[in-house]
Amino acid sequence: MGSLLPPLGSLQVKRVAIIGAGPSGLAVAKYLLAENAFDKIDIYEQQAEVGGVWNYNANITDHIPVPQTAPNVPLDKPIWPPGAVAPLFPNPMYDRLITNIPKHLMQYSDQAFLPQSLLFPTREDVQDYLVRYSRDIRHLIIFSTQVEDISFSQENGQDRWSLTARSTIDSKVAKNPYDAIVVANGHYSVPFIPYVPGIQAFQAKYPSVISHSKNYRLPQSFRNQKVIVIGAGPSGLDIGNQISVVCQKPLLNSVRSEEPLKLGKENIEEVPPIAEYLVEERSVRFEDGRVEKDIDAIVYCTGYLYACPFLKSLDPPIVTTGRRVIGLYKHLIHISHPTLAFTALSQKAIPFPLSEGQAAVIAKVWSNKLVLPEESIMNAWEKKRVEELGDKTNFHILGFPKDADYINELHDWAGCAEDGFTKEPPYWDQQQRHMRSMFMDIRKRFVELDGKATTMKELGPEFENFDR
């Protein structure tokens, strides 16, 4: 990796804070703990249970501005349901979600899904899986505590961080010093709803029509309505299929390109993006000139903005437009402040094994068993990626085979540590890469068999070799 700075042994990291007890935060904690090099590891979680986005809240939704194109929003406010012992926070999980990742690839390297879990696990399966995964690190988690601010300073040439957190139960505030911070709060908090001509006037006239997938829970509220679902990603496809069963036929799916996975399309008509909102007759005009009137519901499945409201004092800022995180090497470590790391920012990737690889690298770097390249080399990596992919969401998008390559790169990177592996992260062999390449075929076959399979063998002889 070229000449190396800082020199071996220069980081003084003994106290680490992890923001978030979701899938990536839990993985980081396990690898840091395995290194046996840190005096204090605290995990801050604003909910009362682990799981992050998988920790489902049935009726907890929030107000989303229309449009919403900037990430600079306040911290989520705790909501107290009747009779609750701890408050809840809105999240994007909906009731009937089934993952789009087969469990053989989704799982961590050291824990399998239960045999009775569906091949594509339900949200309940995943949440149960994460609760079981957290058993040996729950003593590190500070539950029902929201991080409000993290400020940076230097002391004798070393990075120092001051973290301010508030209990969501009794509002008590604590301020604690740390040597390093892992931001593992995910990127499914601030919805993205793009500006379209006329959208503000339309929203003012019909405030209940436009929503975002973050607030979607069940299809019943769309019964017999005329519905447009915007987006062709996994959530747009899944939510559109669910709503299409109960809404007026056909559901209109507004997409920029044809979705390759044709499932449930008998109730769905693909249409171009919306070019303009028309207040008169509750209408929209699509890019091909077609006008649809009397629209009852429009659901934006257009993703989220990256946001770190608790790091607002960091200069220069790490998030500006919300389309990517700025100043990172390999999507992971802050170039100017190597004691600040971010996990699972990548999209179109398999997050659990990816988080393990990132966790292994973080643990080795912060324990001074692995050194980073010179700052100029890390800056050059980021600059080259911006030149190739632009300065927006594409920066963090991987997809196959880049996600598989990245998982293996992280494995090999951590393995370069002076003491080798303490806890070895995943490495994808040819079978796992082949399974990843057949993602769509496996998912299609699963759905064709009514979504009941728990093993690859049940899908047919062409898939049985994937079972382990």
Side-chain angles (χ1 to χ4, degrees):
M1 290 187 177
S3 93
L4 302 174
L5 283 175
L8 191 65
S10 69
L11 293 179
Q12 297 176 9
V13 176
K14 292 297 180 183
R15 302 163 298 180
V16 181
I18 301 170
I19 316 304
S24 66
L26 296 176
V28 171
K30 291 207 172 191
Y31 280 81
L32 290 174
L33 202 60
E35 211 58 43
N36 198 29
F38 309 100
D39 298 335
K40 187 178 183 64
I41 302 170
D42 290 333
I43 310 170
Y44 289 87
E45 173 53 52
Q46 64 182 6
Q47 302 275 24
E49 184 52 274
V50 303
V53 295
W54 296 99
N55 186 11
Y56 174 71
N57 300 321
N59 298 306
I60 305 301
T61 60
D62 58 354
H63 170 72
I64 298 172
V66 177
Q68 181 159 275
T69 59
N72 305 316
V73 301
L75 290 166
D76 287 335
K77 293 183 178 180
I79 302 169
W80 284 89
V85 297
L88 301 176
F89 289 82
N91 79 5
M93 184 57 54
Y94 51 92
D95 184 66
R96 299 178 185 174
L97 184 140
I98 294 178
T99 70
N100 64 337
I101 304 171
K103 61 185 179 182
H104 303 66
L105 290 182
M106 186 175 189
Q107 65 195 19
Y108 296 109
S109 61
D110 56 355
Q111 179 177 299
F113 277 89
L114 295 175
Q116 62 267 32
S117 295
L118 292 178
L119 181 59
F120 290 85
T122 65
R123 65 165 179 82
E124 294 94 340
D125 288 334
V126 180
Q127 177 63 7
D128 172 73
Y129 177 85
L130 291 170
V131 171
R132 289 187 292 111
Y133 183 74
S134 73
R135 285 174 181 167
D136 57 346
I137 53 171
R138 293 183 75 88
H139 64 287
L140 304 176
I141 305 173
I142 307 169
F143 286 108
S144 298
T145 302
Q146 187 178 54
V147 175
E148 294 186 333
D149 183 70
I150 299 173
S151 59
F152 169 78
S153 63
Q154 281 204 322
E155 179 183 307
N156 298 323
Q158 293 291 325
D159 291 354
R160 295 290 181 259
W161 304 91
S162 178
L163 185 150
T164 303
R166 182 185 301 271
S167 167
T168 63
I169 296 176
D170 59 18
S171 296
K172 289 184 178 178
V173 175
K175 191 171 185 178
N176 295 310
Y178 293 96
D179 306 315
I181 302 288
V182 180
V183 180
N185 67 326
H187 50 87
Y188 298 102
S189 178
V190 181
F192 172 62
I193 297 180
Y195 169 79
V196 178
I199 193 171
Q200 291 156 313
F202 188 96
Q203 172 69 5
K205 179 71 173 178
Y206 312 109
S208 64
V209 172
I210 299 175
S211 65
H212 188 274
S213 59
K214 183 179 181 181
N215 281 354
Y216 174 79
R217 291 298 180 268
L218 287 164
Q220 277 73 10
S221 61
F222 298 91
R223 187 172 299 280
N224 299 324
Q225 293 190 350
K226 189 172 186 178
V227 180
I228 301 173
V229 170
I230 300 174
S235 64
L237 178 67
D238 194 24
I239 291 171
N241 283 339
Q242 291 187 17
I243 295 174
S244 71
V245 177
V246 301
C247 72
Q248 288 185 26
K249 307 295 188 294
L251 176 141
L252 302 179
N253 185 202
S254 175
V255 299
R256 292 207 170 274
S257 59
E258 187 174 334
E259 171 57 45
L261 189 58
K262 293 285 189 179
L263 299 174
K265 292 295 184 178
E266 61 272 10
N267 297 321
I268 297 174
E269 178 185 352
E270 289 184 346
V271 293
I274 296 174
E276 184 180 10
Y277 280 86
L278 307 170
V279 173
E280 187 177 352
E281 297 184 281
R282 214 163 62 242
S283 306
V284 299
R285 179 174 60 81
F286 297 107
E287 288 184 353
D288 62 358
R290 170 179 171 180
V291 174
E292 284 290 335
K293 302 177 181 178
D294 302 318
I295 304 298
D296 296 307
I298 300 172
V299 184
Y300 274 88
C301 300
T302 43
Y304 295 80
L305 298 168
Y306 293 97
C308 293
F310 42 79
L311 275 169
K312 55 184 177 293
S313 64
L314 200 61
D315 186 29
I318 57 169
V319 174
T320 54
T321 65
R323 308 309 283 168
R324 76 174 183 99
V325 179
I326 300 169
L328 301 189
Y329 178 60
K330 302 281 189 180
H331 311 282
L332 179 59
I333 293 176
H334 196 281
I335 296 170
S336 300
H337 306 298
T339 55
L340 177 63
F342 294 75
T343 58
L345 296 176
S346 299
Q347 300 185 41
K348 296 187 178 180
I350 314 299
F352 291 17
L354 183 149
S355 295
E356 283 193 87
Q358 292 181 324
V361 170
I362 292 168
K364 291 298 184 184
V365 169
W366 288 354
S367 60
N368 290 312
K369 298 168 184 173
L370 188 67
V371 289
L372 295 169
E374 290 181 350
E375 190 170 326
S376 61
I377 294 174
M378 294 190 286
N379 281 323
W381 178 89
E382 183 186 34
K383 181 181 178 182
K384 181 180 179 182
R385 191 162 180 88
V386 169
E387 290 171 350
E388 292 176 351
L389 300 172
D391 202 28
K392 297 183 179 180
T393 306
N394 282 344
F395 183 91
H396 290 304
I397 289 179
L398 295 179
F400 183 78
K402 292 181 180 178
D403 61 340
D405 294 340
Y406 184 52
I407 287 170
N408 289 355
E409 178 186 2
L410 291 165
H411 172 279
D412 293 346
W413 188 5
C416 290
E418 64 171 11
D419 61 344
F421 293 114
T422 307
K423 179 177 173 62
E424 185 172 359
Y427 186 93
W428 277 11
D429 59 22
Q430 286 303 312
Q431 185 178 37
Q432 289 164 307
R433 293 175 70 95
H434 184 42
M435 188 189 308
R436 177 68 176 93
S437 72
M438 294 184 65
F439 224 78
M440 292 293 189
D441 293 334
I442 297 170
R443 175 73 172 175
K444 184 177 181 180
R445 183 62 175 157
F446 174 79
V447 172
E448 288 172 349
L449 295 177
D450 298 324
K452 302 295 185 183
T454 60
T455 66
M456 289 285 188
K457 184 178 181 180
E458 294 171 59
L459 302 186
E462 65 270 40
F463 300 105
E464 64 182 347
N465 288 335
F466 289 134
D467 278 322
R468 295 196 175 198

